[in-house]
């Protein structure tokens, strides 16, 4: 079965950096579109960054220029490099896999959480 396990969260001061990892198993990783999402207390889960099977990336406006998503097919791992962290980035961060292996639509649509069937349990990021 598909398993996604996030790691790398923690507590940092504003302006700091963190690198999140998501190790995937039980799927043909290279064929999947993958995304990072976050959910703060009392708020909806929102798309942060996504990458399609060709490596094309998209980002939410709130993180453009600060976050970088990358997909390493050799070790089935998705990364999110987060620089210039702000208190408003505080949230639980989740990685997710889109089960539509034939997706060829606009990459920005990959920020929609409704597309994703497979989710990790999350890793907490706190910025003070």
């Amino acid at each position: 079965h598909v398993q996604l396990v996030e790691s790398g969260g923690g507590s940092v001061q504003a302006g700091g950096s963190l690198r999140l990892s998501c190790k995937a198993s039980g799927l043909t990783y290279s064929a999947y579109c993958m995304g990072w999402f976050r959910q703060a207390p009392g708020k909806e889960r929102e798309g942060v960054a996504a990458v399609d099977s060709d490596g094309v990336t998209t980002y939410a406006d709130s993180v453009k220029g600060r976050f970088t998503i990358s997909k390493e097919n050799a070790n089935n791992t998705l990364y999110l490099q987060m620089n210039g962290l702000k208190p408003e980035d505080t949230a639980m961060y989740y990685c997710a896999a889109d089960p539509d292996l034939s997706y060829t639509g606009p990459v920005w649509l990959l920020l929609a959480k409704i597309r994703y069937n497979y989710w990790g349990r999350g890793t907490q990021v706190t910025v003070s």
Side-chain angles (χ1 to χ4, degrees), residues 8 10 13 21 23 26 33-34 40 45-46 48 61 67 77 79 83 87 95 97 101 104 107 113 115 117 119 121 123:
Q13 291 191 333
S21 300
K23 181 73 172 178
C33 300
M34 303 289 295
R45 189 171 298 190
E46 63 175 357
V48 174
D61 288 344
F67 291 11
T77 303
Y79 299 100
N83 299 327
C95 75
L101 300 184
T104 56
V107 65
K113 60 181 182 290
R115 296 198 53 85
N117 277 10
W119 294 86
R121 293 192 170 190
T123 185

Side-chain angles (χ1 to χ4, degrees), residues 1 22 29 41 68 85 104 112 115 123:
H1 69 285
C22 171
Y29 181 73
T68 303
L85 283 161
T104 56
R115 296 198 53 85
T123 185

Side-chain angles (χ1 to χ4, degrees), residues 39-126:
Q39 188 167 17
K43 293 190 175 181
E44 293 272 330
R45 189 171 298 190
E46 63 175 357
V48 174
V51 55
D52 71 11
S53 57
D54 291 325
V56 180
T57 59
T58 188
Y59 298 90
D61 288 344
S62 58
V63 306
K64 275 181 186 174
R66 300 188 297 122
F67 291 11
T68 303
I69 187 171
S70 59
K71 188 170 177 271
E72 198 165 286
N73 291 333
N75 62 7
N76 285 13
T77 303
L78 183 73
Y79 299 100
L80 185 68
Q81 177 66 45
M82 306 187 294
N83 299 327
L85 283 161
K86 304 176 181 179
E88 52 262 44
D89 295 318
T90 295
M92 185 71 80
Y93 283 71
Y94 301 89
C95 75
D98 182 342
D100 182 1
L101 300 184
S102 63
Y103 182 76
T104 56
V107 65
W108 59 268
L109 281 177
L110 295 176
L111 293 178
K113 60 181 182 290
I114 195 171
R115 296 198 53 85
Y116 294 82
N117 277 10
Y118 306 118
W119 294 86
R121 293 192 170 190
T123 185
Q124 177 69 38
V125 171
T126 303

